[in-house]
Amino acid sequence: MAIYHSMLFRLTAVLLFVQYCQAKTVHLDFNVTWVNANPDGLHERKVVGINGQWPLPVIEVDKGDRLIVNMYNGLEDKETSIHWHGMFQNGTNNMDGPSMVTQCPVPPGASITYDFTIPQNGTYWYHCHTDSCYPDGYRQALIVHDDQSYFNDMYDHELTVTMSDWYHELIEDIPFIRVENPTGAEPVPDSFLFNDTLNTNIPVEAGKTYLMRLINIGAFVAQYFYIEDHTFRIVEIDGVYVDEQEADTLYIAVAQRYSILVTMKNSTDKNYPIVTVADSNLLDVILPSLQLNQTNWLEYNSNAAHPQAVMKVDASSDLVPYDDMKLVPHDRMPLLPDPDMTIEIDVIMDNLNDGAGYAFFNNISYTRPKVPTLYSVLTSGNYATNAAIYGEFTHPYILEHNAVIEVVLNNLDGGSHPFHLHGHNFQLVSRTPSYGPSFNDYADGDPLPFNATETPSSSFPKYPARRDTFVAPPQGNFVIRFVADNPGVWLFHCHIDWHMSQGLAMSFIEAPKQLQEQMSLTESDINICKAGNLSYKGNAAANTENLLDLTGQNKQLPWLPSGFTARGIVAMVFSCVSAFLGMAFITVYGISGIQPKETAVVTERDDS
Ligand SMILES: *[C@@H]1O[C@H](CO)[C@@H](O)[C@H](O)[C@H]1NC(C)=O
Ligand SMILES: *[C@@H]1O[C@H](CO)[C@@H](O)[C@H](O)[C@H]1NC(C)=O
Ligand SMILES: *[C@@H]1O[C@H](CO)[C@@H](O)[C@H](O)[C@H]1NC(C)=O
Ligand SMILES: *[C@@H]1O[C@H](CO)[C@@H](O)[C@H](O)[C@H]1NC(C)=O
Ligand SMILES: *[C@@H]1O[C@H](CO)[C@@H](O)[C@H](O)[C@H]1NC(C)=O
Ligand SMILES: *[C@@H]1O[C@H](CO)[C@@H](O)[C@H](O)[C@H]1NC(C)=O
Ligand SMILES: *[C@@H]1O[C@H](CO)[C@@H](O)[C@H](O)[C@H]1NC(C)=O
Ligand SMILES: *[C@@H]1O[C@H](CO)[C@@H](O)[C@H](O)[C@H]1NC(C)=O
Ligand SMILES: *[C@@H]1O[C@H](CO)[C@@H](O)[C@H](O)[C@H]1NC(C)=O
């Protein structure tokens, strides 16, 4: 008996070992070059391709795998990097990808190797994180398969579908931050893609259940999603499994992901529109040629008709999406205790003294440092815990290891914003107003800051949903919590790429001492910086002698002279208005402190 038992034990040990060994290494070589593509059939343009291909390769790995991607920058005229959106990079902060945060940008002709293991599950994506390069096509799905998921046996087939906005011009050729656009009106996309194309069919088998992974890989516009005459069950958001919830409509902001189970009908006499509707509330100007709604099809029968979607509401905002706050994480992680640190953030849009529109967290518009912030941590010894060395304009907060962090975000802007935190998912603790008919109630008039008396922690969900990108309502607020258990420099930012370029970002410097113990600068990190003529050590100003001396740091522009309020600036002078933006003209109130080009008297723009 004893022998038998011990053999059984050994056999089990071997089996466990075999299972453990199944984790594999996925090794990819990415040669990044310009290629041509015409995904909407309206305009051919150059896009960022990988190994000569676009759409880019979907990366598929299994939970526990190690991913190694060798990227060569063959773009010739652009720096680049890759962010693995939603990956915690626990212990590998230097693999996160944002330029001047955790690495130097990779200049043309240089290479970088990303190498990390993936102990996560679910639906992610990868995209360029240097300047504004991902809307030029450098973005695609990253799927982590998991045969241990609770819904693994609940479906027959699996599909991945992306959606995105699409511009016909290179992002660098689209004028945006400039005096002619003082309100910061975002360039309006030329079309909306569904899986990098239009009018496509997804062939399905009657009676079968599909796991559909939906990812908004766009740069700006959120989209509503539904399938005519079908409901579905939400099982995952942003890599977090949730208890299945029946729903019929989703609101998918840029960077968000949903996995849904869709059970097909038994009859094959019809095809059904899969409908995506751009959130037109985000758009300042809608040209008649812009197709906001897209019909693609669940194709049960290729010989049957493919009807266009029947729109049942007057405006996209009349659609009522499932409220992600109501989802319950499958692991039942309870509400985190009262925070050790609360970070209050006011979001505003305003003008600096070049007259252009910028975006601010607490009056700071993120401005890239001269040294990647992670490298400042790694080369500053005991000063690493002093926020001052990272410079005021990276907007640094030092988070203590394992502290419970609460972020209270008051959106004082009339637009909604999808906020993303690197290195974590966070608990969705409160949001006012919620998704639904009231979501836009505060878009005009006075903003609604978070009020802890009216929304006490006793009203927070017991098992809050978690995700890595969460939408703040127009002039509303939200509260999120997470544990600072992942040493690293993590950006918190609006995922609308235009707003990112206007400075809507800040740096969380989490457990810097532990981070110094985990990693050090490598020869290859240094070589990438040198290839781009960038500094790799010292404080944000690249000062290595006196780390508290920030002389020479990059700064946001000065504010306009007092008297120029946000509204007053809308009134500022400017001359020609870009026909591309199609913006309305703006009234002249007066000028001081700026150099207007030419004066044009026009009507005031309703900035709602
Ligand atoms: C990348 O692709 C370009 C264009 O095909 C080619 O000229 C170049 O040699 C490739 N570089 C590498 C490192 O593979
Ligand atoms: C991954 O999935 C397992 C169940 O298969 C779950 O227990 C775990 O929390 C998930 N991990 C992450 C990081 O999502
Ligand atoms: C979406 O596009 C990707 C990349 O081209 C492809 O791998 C995937 O199969 C497509 N999804 C569907 C449902 O066709
Ligand atoms: C399809 O047929 C199966 C088996 O007869 C049945 O269980 C299921 O409810 C039907 N599905 C629908 C959507 O009617
Ligand atoms: C698109 O859908 C919206 C919302 O249902 C509707 O207001 C609009 O008229 C539709 N546009 C077109 C061109 O069908
Ligand atoms: C931003 O600046 C304005 C004007 O100086 C000031 O009233 C406000 O309190 C500042 N906000 C924050 C969060 O510091
Ligand atoms: C918060 O709400 C309470 C109760 O409604 C109210 O008395 C208080 O004035 C509010 N606080 C602020 C700062 O608005
Ligand atoms: C990172 O790893 C540490 C140590 O294993 C663990 O305690 C922590 O929960 C992890 N954090 C995240 C965000 O994965
Ligand atoms: C590198 O940077 C230094 C200091 O900013 C500057 O003097 C030099 O011209 C730069 N060299 C190149 C090749 O850009």
Side-chain angles (χ1 to χ4, degrees):
M1 276 308 266
I3 290 170
Y4 175 76
H5 264 158
S6 105
M7 274 181 62
L8 194 68
F9 171 77
R10 275 189 217 163
L11 195 64
T12 317
V14 167
L15 280 175
L16 281 173
F17 184 67
V18 166
Q19 213 166 24
Y20 177 76
C21 281
Q22 274 168 355
K24 60 185 186 301
T25 299
V26 175
H27 204 129
L28 302 171
D29 284 311
F30 280 6
N31 182 357
V32 177
T33 60
W34 293 112
V35 299
N36 286 330
N38 185 359
D40 60 9
L42 299 171
H43 182 83
E44 184 172 85
R45 51 158 291 176
K46 68 174 192 177
V47 300
V48 178
I50 290 177
N51 304 333
Q53 300 287 314
W54 194 93
L56 302 183
V58 173
I59 299 179
E60 305 207 36
V61 298
D62 292 305
K63 182 167 71 174
D65 284 354
R66 175 174 172 194
L67 179 64
I68 302 179
V69 178
N70 265 311
M71 184 193 80
Y72 169 75
N73 181 1
L75 291 174
E76 293 178 352
D77 56 355
K78 233 183 207 317
E79 302 179 322
T80 189
S81 68
I82 310 177
H83 171 53
W84 313 93
H85 188 113
M87 295 287 118
F88 298 148
Q89 300 292 6
N90 199 344
T92 49
N93 182 224
N94 50 347
M95 298 295 148
D96 195 41
S99 279
M100 300 317 287
V101 180
T102 60
Q103 65 168 83
C104 283
V106 181
S111 298
I112 188 169
T113 300
Y114 293 101
D115 181 352
F116 52 94
T117 51
I118 304 183
Q120 289 171 257
N121 320 311
T123 310
Y124 301 88
W125 62 302
Y126 66 94
H127 63 82
C128 180
H129 212 305
T130 301
D131 306 324
S132 295
C133 55
Y134 91 77
D136 287 327
Y138 200 169
R139 74 282 180 288
Q140 186 53 289
L142 163 54
I143 307 299
V144 186
H145 295 285
D146 173 22
D147 59 12
Q148 311 286 305
S149 76
Y150 83 89
F151 50 84
N152 191 54
D153 296 330
M154 292 161 65
Y155 60 90
D156 304 291
H157 301 289
E158 182 177 332
L159 308 163
T160 298
V161 168
T162 63
M163 56 196 77
S164 77
D165 38 35
W166 189 246
Y167 294 88
H168 287 164
E169 305 302 320
L170 274 178
I171 295 306
E172 67 193 24
D173 292 340
I174 301 175
F176 176 51
I177 298 180
R178 53 193 200 133
V179 67
E180 289 84 356
N181 182 19
T183 62
E186 301 84 3
V188 176
D190 295 298
S191 52
F192 295 97
L193 305 179
F194 184 82
N195 219 38
D196 283 335
T197 184
L198 291 179
N199 306 317
T200 187
N201 292 306
I202 299 184
V204 293
E205 280 178 68
K208 298 280 197 242
T209 297
Y210 287 73
L211 176 72
M212 286 181 82
R213 301 176 182 275
L214 308 170
I215 314 176
N216 188 334
I217 58 173
F220 172 23
V221 183
Q223 302 202 39
Y224 295 86
F225 171 98
Y226 62 91
I227 305 174
E228 282 189 5
D229 273 340
H230 289 67
T231 60
F232 44 78
R233 290 166 286 156
I234 304 169
V235 292
E236 181 225 316
I237 52 169
D238 297 0
V240 177
Y241 299 156
V242 294
D243 285 352
E244 56 178 302
Q245 274 299 328
E246 178 134 332
D248 54 25
T249 306
L250 299 175
Y251 181 82
I252 313 181
V254 290
Q256 290 188 324
R257 291 89 68 203
Y258 281 86
S259 285
I260 58 175
L261 296 174
V262 192
T263 298
M264 301 305 153
K265 296 180 185 298
N266 287 330
S267 61
T268 57
D269 50 350
K270 277 181 76 179
N271 298 313
Y272 291 86
I274 302 170
V275 191
T276 50
V277 179
D279 177 1
S280 52
N281 270 18
L282 292 169
L283 304 175
D284 288 77
V285 173
I286 299 171
L287 299 176
S289 59
L290 180 62
Q291 187 67 44
L292 291 166
N293 314 317
Q294 307 297 329
T295 303
N296 296 275
W297 292 273
L298 276 188
E299 189 178 64
Y300 285 78
N301 176 350
S302 57
N303 296 318
H306 292 74
Q308 283 298 315
V310 178
M311 304 311 294
K312 294 197 173 122
V313 294
D314 292 334
S316 61
S317 53
D318 293 341
L319 291 164
V320 179
Y322 189 87
D323 185 357
D324 51 355
M325 289 277 312
K326 289 195 194 140
L327 293 166
V328 174
H330 192 67
D331 62 11
R332 289 288 190 300
M333 177 180 159
L335 174 69
L336 288 168
D338 285 344
D340 301 306
M341 179 184 196
T342 297
I343 300 174
E344 280 194 55
I345 302 173
D346 285 355
V347 175
I348 60 163
M349 299 284 187
D350 206 340
N351 301 79
L352 293 176
N353 85 344
D354 61 351
Y358 291 86
F360 305 82
F361 283 142
N362 294 346
N363 293 343
I364 295 175
S365 178
Y366 179 91
T367 308
R368 56 149 70 178
K370 287 190 169 166
V371 172
T373 304
L374 170 62
Y375 297 177
S376 292
V377 173
L378 299 181
T379 60
S380 60
N382 289 332
Y383 283 95
T385 54
N386 186 336
I389 70 164
Y390 305 108
E392 189 182 346
F393 301 101
T394 64
H395 206 166
Y397 274 81
I398 309 282
L399 312 186
E400 286 215 16
H401 198 206
N402 292 324
V404 174
I405 310 296
E406 181 173 85
V407 175
V408 175
L409 183 139
N410 295 314
N411 179 12
L412 309 186
D413 178 60
S416 63
H417 298 272
F419 288 103
H420 170 49
L421 174 59
H422 289 221
H424 289 274
N425 53 44
F426 44 75
Q427 294 189 329
L428 316 184
V429 161
S430 170
R431 173 168 58 194
T432 328
S434 22
Y435 274 0
S438 306
F439 192 66
N440 292 298
D441 280 4
Y442 293 85
D444 302 309
D446 292 332
L448 179 74
F450 179 70
N451 181 329
T453 312
E454 288 190 344
T455 313
S457 55
S458 59
S459 68
F460 294 165
K462 208 167 155 198
Y463 304 109
R466 302 194 302 280
R467 66 187 317 164
D468 62 42
T469 307
F470 190 38
V471 179
Q475 297 212 84
N477 63 74
F478 72 50
V479 180
I480 58 175
R481 284 183 185 174
F482 63 96
V483 180
D485 59 4
N486 189 10
V489 178
W490 308 115
L491 268 192
F492 177 72
H493 66 95
C494 178
H495 218 288
I496 292 178
D497 215 41
W498 301 111
H499 299 165
M500 184 74 182
S501 68
Q502 289 174 295
L504 205 47
M506 65 198 291
S507 313
F508 290 162
I509 294 151
E510 187 166 326
K513 296 306 280 181
Q514 286 74 11
L515 186 53
Q516 287 177 341
E517 285 159 22
Q518 279 181 0
M519 68 182 65
S520 44
L521 266 175
T522 66
E523 210 49 43
S524 98
D525 297 336
I526 293 171
N527 288 340
I528 293 167
C529 295
K530 282 184 176 164
N533 199 20
L534 290 165
S535 306
Y536 56 87
K537 57 183 175 197
N539 65 17
N543 190 333
T544 53
E545 298 298 311
N546 178 356
L547 292 167
L548 295 175
D549 178 3
L550 275 297
T551 308
Q553 70 170 324
N554 294 331
K555 294 179 178 174
Q556 72 189 43
L557 291 170
W559 293 91
L560 279 160
S562 61
F564 272 92
T565 60
R567 295 226 160 249
I569 291 309
V570 174
M572 204 170 50
V573 175
F574 62 96
S575 57
C576 79
V577 171
S578 159
F580 179 78
L581 293 176
M583 270 181 46
F585 286 96
I586 290 173
T587 323
V588 179
Y589 279 63
I591 330 139
S592 75
I594 55 155
Q595 303 299 317
K597 308 256 160 55
E598 196 184 305
T599 309
V601 179
V602 281
T603 49
E604 185 162 8
R605 181 168 171 276
D606 179 10
D607 191 31
S608 58

